[in-house]
Amino acid sequence: MPRDASTDKPLVELVNITKIYPPDIVALEDVSLRIYKGEILFLTGMSGAGKTTLIKLLFCLETPTRGLIEIAGRDLFRLSPVGIQQMRQKIGVAYQDFRLLDKQTVFQNIAMAMEVTYASAKEIRVRVGELLDLLNLASKRNKPVGELSRGEQQRVALARAAANRPTLLLADEPTGNLDQTTTELVINLFRRLNEEDGSTIVVATHDESIYAKTEHRVVELHNGQLAAHLEQTPRQVELF
Amino acid sequence: MQFLTYILCQTGKNLRQTWGAQVMTLLTVTLSVLIFAFFFLIYTNMLRASAQLGDDVRLIVYLDQEVTEQMRPVLETRIRDFGPVEKIVFVSRAEAFARLSAQMGKEKDVLNDLGPDFLPPSLEVYPLKNLNDLSKINQFSDFLQTLPYVTKVQSGLDWLQRFGYFTSLLRIVVLLSGSLLIISMTFIVSYTLRLTVLSRQGELEILRLLGASSAYIRLPLLLEGMLQGVLGSSLGLAALYILYQWIVSRFSGPGFLKLFEFTFFPFELTAAILLAGIVLCTVGSLFSIRRFIRI
Ligand SMILES: Nc1ncnc2c1ncn2[C@@H]1O[C@H](COP(=O)(O)OP(=O)(O)OP(=O)(O)O)[C@@H](O)[C@H]1O
Ligand SMILES: [Mg+2]
């Protein structure tokens, strides 16, 4: 359900973020945004609007040219290497380009995320099995990721992002290669994470079908700038 | 516990991925340890042998006639005036003959024909132990030559001198093979590790994104180097021990090796070589880790 923005403490706060790629490509310009704990946020915009850039900033893969990002009250760019490492364990990211290891199996790829947190072999088996069932990938468990279709790889990337029940899940174009039925599986996964584990979820997408009828907040990037406050008018028709 | 399991698993994975290079590295490390330890073993044995020989240094001065009771103190003071001497022993013809027949044991009958007078009388000078410097002993020998009645001075010094040259040559060889050891271990181990890092670069990158701790990424690599050190050094030392046993069994019996007992390293030295090997390999892996992995 939509949150009351004025009372909740934001989990993520972006203040006047500008990102300029060398030499002078302005990917984000003066973006200020609050993301509240437990909400689902759709980040929309045309191709090249800066969605991926914003997600990379949240994950410390890029540094902003100007501005401040706080996660849980901590300045992201003052974190020590150990701080970044610990933060990354709590943030699950499904990359637009997946970043999977083609030679390793579906299971191994997903398990990797849990191994770095030193989860036990049993925990990993159970959790990965659960996710594979949810995303209809159980039959591909022991296949090398390189032999899967794009849509299957996309779901593996999502499963890896969700494996640790992250505090914050960043999904970049999670349904780009999926049909309607499979898209619903993905949305179902988001809903479960949000409801059962209290995960905050940010979905970057230009797939209008998944946010058109949502009650959740939708913000739109336009040429690197945050467009007029769409989130003020939550839509009431439920897809979620 | 869980942590350790993961580190070991990762190490195993790394080894499997580059096993060809790993085996080559192991062989190189083993060989360098073997070469170095072999020369070092010979060197330590030579050192001990030359110390033993130095202890036995004596100058035998052959005379053309017996020294009379009155002459003895005169000669003795002249010798003692020249240099510090531990003792001087006068050996008469009869004594020399008695010694020889004692040495011959059962075969002393041969000597009967020669008669008790065929050996010259002599004088044995034992320089003080601290006079181990070969050139000083040489001077001593030259001096003894000038004494009356002296026909010949036998010092065995030529031989001792050659032995000394050989020992210092061996010292150079030991130093060289030691440097070879250091270079081969650190560089080759760090090179192999670089192969591991390169072959797993994609994986390491993703591990970083997933928030793997630096220990999770680095320890397996460190462990890999350490493992090379442990295995390589032990194998090298084991090979040396086998070689040593072979030499001993082959050349035992009367002769050179009976004179100087050929012994293996004492336990402490063996342990020290092993430890040095491990440390060198670990340092080699640290090089790679620092150079190729930034977190
Ligand atoms: N590493 C980079 N170097 C230079 N320019 C970049 C880099 N990454 C992105 N850009 C530029 O920044 C702008 C925003 O890119 P971004 O990837 O954030 O867009 P996006 O909204 O994710 O687009 P899409 O929907 O196609 O994924 C684009 O103009 C892009 O060309
Ligand atoms: Mg993008």
Short mmCIF file of all heavy atoms in Angstrom, two decimals, chain B residues 60-84:
data_model
loop_
_atom_site.label_atom_id
_atom_site.label_comp_id
_atom_site.label_asym_id
_atom_site.label_seq_id
_atom_site.Cartn_x
_atom_site.Cartn_y
_atom_site.Cartn_z
N ILE B 60 104.63 -32.17 9.98
CA ILE B 60 105.59 -33.24 10.25
C ILE B 60 106.93 -32.86 9.64
O ILE B 60 107.01 -32.58 8.44
CB ILE B 60 105.10 -34.58 9.66
CG1 ILE B 60 103.74 -34.93 10.30
CG2 ILE B 60 106.11 -35.69 9.92
CD1 ILE B 60 103.08 -36.11 9.67
N VAL B 61 107.93 -32.79 10.48
CA VAL B 61 109.26 -32.36 10.02
C VAL B 61 110.18 -33.59 10.01
O VAL B 61 110.48 -34.17 11.05
CB VAL B 61 109.82 -31.30 11.01
CG1 VAL B 61 111.14 -30.75 10.49
CG2 VAL B 61 108.81 -30.20 11.22
N TYR B 62 110.57 -33.98 8.81
CA TYR B 62 111.47 -35.14 8.72
C TYR B 62 112.90 -34.68 8.87
O TYR B 62 113.30 -33.65 8.33
CB TYR B 62 111.27 -35.86 7.38
CG TYR B 62 109.91 -36.53 7.30
CD1 TYR B 62 108.90 -35.98 6.55
CD2 TYR B 62 109.68 -37.70 8.02
CE1 TYR B 62 107.66 -36.57 6.49
CE2 TYR B 62 108.45 -38.31 7.97
CZ TYR B 62 107.44 -37.75 7.20
OH TYR B 62 106.22 -38.34 7.16
N LEU B 63 113.67 -35.48 9.63
CA LEU B 63 115.05 -35.10 9.93
C LEU B 63 116.00 -36.14 9.33
O LEU B 63 115.60 -37.28 9.07
CB LEU B 63 115.24 -35.05 11.45
CG LEU B 63 114.21 -34.18 12.20
CD1 LEU B 63 114.29 -34.42 13.70
CD2 LEU B 63 114.43 -32.71 11.88
N ASP B 64 117.27 -35.73 9.14
CA ASP B 64 118.18 -36.74 8.59
C ASP B 64 118.97 -37.45 9.68
O ASP B 64 119.76 -38.33 9.43
CB ASP B 64 119.10 -36.14 7.52
CG ASP B 64 119.88 -34.96 8.04
OD1 ASP B 64 119.76 -34.68 9.27
OD2 ASP B 64 120.56 -34.31 7.25
N GLN B 65 118.81 -37.05 10.93
CA GLN B 65 119.42 -37.84 12.01
C GLN B 65 118.61 -37.69 13.29
O GLN B 65 117.82 -36.76 13.43
CB GLN B 65 120.87 -37.43 12.23
CG GLN B 65 121.01 -35.97 12.69
CD GLN B 65 122.46 -35.60 12.87
OE1 GLN B 65 123.15 -35.26 11.92
NE2 GLN B 65 122.95 -35.67 14.09
N GLU B 66 118.82 -38.61 14.21
CA GLU B 66 118.10 -38.57 15.48
C GLU B 66 118.48 -37.31 16.24
O GLU B 66 119.59 -36.81 16.15
CB GLU B 66 118.52 -39.78 16.34
CG GLU B 66 118.11 -41.11 15.76
CD GLU B 66 116.68 -41.50 16.13
OE1 GLU B 66 115.94 -40.66 16.70
OE2 GLU B 66 116.30 -42.65 15.83
N VAL B 67 117.51 -36.79 16.96
CA VAL B 67 117.80 -35.62 17.78
C VAL B 67 118.28 -36.12 19.15
O VAL B 67 117.62 -36.93 19.78
CB VAL B 67 116.54 -34.78 17.97
CG1 VAL B 67 116.85 -33.50 18.73
CG2 VAL B 67 115.95 -34.45 16.61
N THR B 68 119.42 -35.61 19.55
CA THR B 68 119.96 -36.03 20.86
C THR B 68 119.20 -35.34 21.97
O THR B 68 118.51 -34.34 21.74
CB THR B 68 121.45 -35.66 20.96
OG1 THR B 68 121.56 -34.24 20.77
CG2 THR B 68 122.26 -36.40 19.91
N GLU B 69 119.32 -35.93 23.16
CA GLU B 69 118.63 -35.36 24.33
C GLU B 69 118.97 -33.89 24.53
O GLU B 69 118.11 -33.08 24.87
CB GLU B 69 119.02 -36.14 25.60
CG GLU B 69 118.34 -37.50 25.70
CD GLU B 69 116.82 -37.40 25.79
OE1 GLU B 69 116.30 -36.43 26.39
OE2 GLU B 69 116.14 -38.28 25.21
N GLN B 70 120.30 -33.53 24.24
CA GLN B 70 120.70 -32.14 24.46
C GLN B 70 120.09 -31.21 23.44
O GLN B 70 119.80 -30.06 23.72
CB GLN B 70 122.25 -32.00 24.41
CG GLN B 70 122.98 -32.83 25.44
CD GLN B 70 123.44 -34.16 24.85
OE1 GLN B 70 122.65 -34.90 24.24
NE2 GLN B 70 124.73 -34.47 25.01
N MET B 71 119.94 -31.72 22.20
CA MET B 71 119.43 -30.86 21.13
C MET B 71 117.95 -30.53 21.31
O MET B 71 117.46 -29.50 20.88
CB MET B 71 119.62 -31.54 19.76
CG MET B 71 120.98 -31.31 19.14
SD MET B 71 121.29 -29.57 18.90
CE MET B 71 120.24 -29.26 17.48
N ARG B 72 117.24 -31.45 21.92
CA ARG B 72 115.77 -31.30 22.01
C ARG B 72 115.32 -29.93 22.53
O ARG B 72 114.59 -29.22 21.84
CB ARG B 72 115.17 -32.40 22.88
CG ARG B 72 115.06 -33.68 22.11
CD ARG B 72 114.23 -34.66 22.87
NE ARG B 72 114.21 -35.91 22.12
CZ ARG B 72 113.35 -36.91 22.33
NH1 ARG B 72 112.46 -36.80 23.30
NH2 ARG B 72 113.40 -38.01 21.60
N PRO B 73 115.77 -29.54 23.72
CA PRO B 73 115.30 -28.23 24.24
C PRO B 73 115.68 -27.07 23.33
O PRO B 73 114.92 -26.11 23.19
CB PRO B 73 115.97 -28.11 25.61
CG PRO B 73 116.86 -29.28 25.77
CD PRO B 73 116.67 -30.23 24.65
N VAL B 74 116.83 -27.18 22.68
CA VAL B 74 117.27 -26.09 21.80
C VAL B 74 116.27 -25.92 20.64
O VAL B 74 115.77 -24.83 20.39
CB VAL B 74 118.68 -26.37 21.24
CG1 VAL B 74 119.13 -25.21 20.36
CG2 VAL B 74 119.66 -26.63 22.36
N LEU B 75 116.01 -27.07 19.99
CA LEU B 75 115.05 -27.01 18.87
C LEU B 75 113.69 -26.51 19.36
O LEU B 75 113.06 -25.64 18.74
CB LEU B 75 114.87 -28.41 18.27
CG LEU B 75 115.89 -28.83 17.23
CD1 LEU B 75 115.61 -30.26 16.78
CD2 LEU B 75 115.83 -27.89 16.03
N GLU B 76 113.29 -27.07 20.51
CA GLU B 76 111.98 -26.72 21.03
C GLU B 76 111.85 -25.22 21.27
O GLU B 76 110.85 -24.61 20.87
CB GLU B 76 111.73 -27.50 22.32
CG GLU B 76 110.25 -27.75 22.55
CD GLU B 76 110.01 -28.88 23.55
OE1 GLU B 76 110.70 -29.93 23.47
OE2 GLU B 76 109.14 -28.68 24.39
N THR B 77 112.85 -24.61 21.89
CA THR B 77 112.74 -23.16 22.14
C THR B 77 112.75 -22.38 20.84
O THR B 77 112.02 -21.40 20.70
CB THR B 77 113.87 -22.62 23.05
OG1 THR B 77 115.07 -23.35 22.76
CG2 THR B 77 113.51 -22.70 24.51
N ARG B 78 113.54 -22.83 19.86
CA ARG B 78 113.56 -22.09 18.59
C ARG B 78 112.17 -22.11 17.93
O ARG B 78 111.70 -21.10 17.39
CB ARG B 78 114.61 -22.67 17.63
CG ARG B 78 116.02 -22.22 18.01
CD ARG B 78 117.02 -22.54 16.92
NE ARG B 78 116.76 -21.82 15.67
CZ ARG B 78 117.51 -21.99 14.58
NH1 ARG B 78 118.53 -22.84 14.62
NH2 ARG B 78 117.25 -21.33 13.48
N ILE B 79 111.56 -23.27 18.01
CA ILE B 79 110.23 -23.38 17.40
C ILE B 79 109.22 -22.53 18.16
O ILE B 79 108.46 -21.75 17.59
CB ILE B 79 109.77 -24.85 17.35
CG1 ILE B 79 110.66 -25.64 16.39
CG2 ILE B 79 108.32 -24.94 16.90
CD1 ILE B 79 110.42 -27.13 16.42
N ARG B 80 109.26 -22.64 19.48
CA ARG B 80 108.28 -21.89 20.29
C ARG B 80 108.50 -20.40 20.17
O ARG B 80 107.55 -19.62 20.30
CB ARG B 80 108.36 -22.32 21.76
CG ARG B 80 107.70 -23.67 21.99
CD ARG B 80 107.61 -23.99 23.46
NE ARG B 80 107.22 -25.38 23.66
CZ ARG B 80 105.95 -25.81 23.61
NH1 ARG B 80 104.98 -24.96 23.38
NH2 ARG B 80 105.69 -27.10 23.78
N ASP B 81 109.76 -20.01 19.92
CA ASP B 81 110.02 -18.58 19.72
C ASP B 81 109.32 -18.05 18.47
O ASP B 81 108.92 -16.90 18.40
CB ASP B 81 111.54 -18.31 19.60
CG ASP B 81 112.21 -18.31 20.97
OD1 ASP B 81 111.45 -18.32 21.97
OD2 ASP B 81 113.45 -18.32 21.03
N PHE B 82 109.23 -18.92 17.48
CA PHE B 82 108.63 -18.45 16.21
C PHE B 82 107.12 -18.26 16.31
O PHE B 82 106.56 -17.29 15.85
CB PHE B 82 108.95 -19.42 15.07
CG PHE B 82 108.42 -18.94 13.76
CD1 PHE B 82 109.14 -17.99 13.02
CD2 PHE B 82 107.21 -19.39 13.26
CE1 PHE B 82 108.65 -17.52 11.82
CE2 PHE B 82 106.72 -18.91 12.06
CZ PHE B 82 107.43 -17.98 11.33
N GLY B 83 106.48 -19.23 16.95
CA GLY B 83 105.01 -19.10 16.99
C GLY B 83 104.41 -19.97 18.07
O GLY B 83 105.09 -20.84 18.61
N PRO B 84 103.15 -19.74 18.37
CA PRO B 84 102.49 -20.50 19.43
C PRO B 84 102.28 -21.95 19.00
O PRO B 84 101.76 -22.21 17.91
CB PRO B 84 101.15 -19.78 19.60
CG PRO B 84 100.92 -19.10 18.30
CD PRO B 84 102.26 -18.77 17.72
#
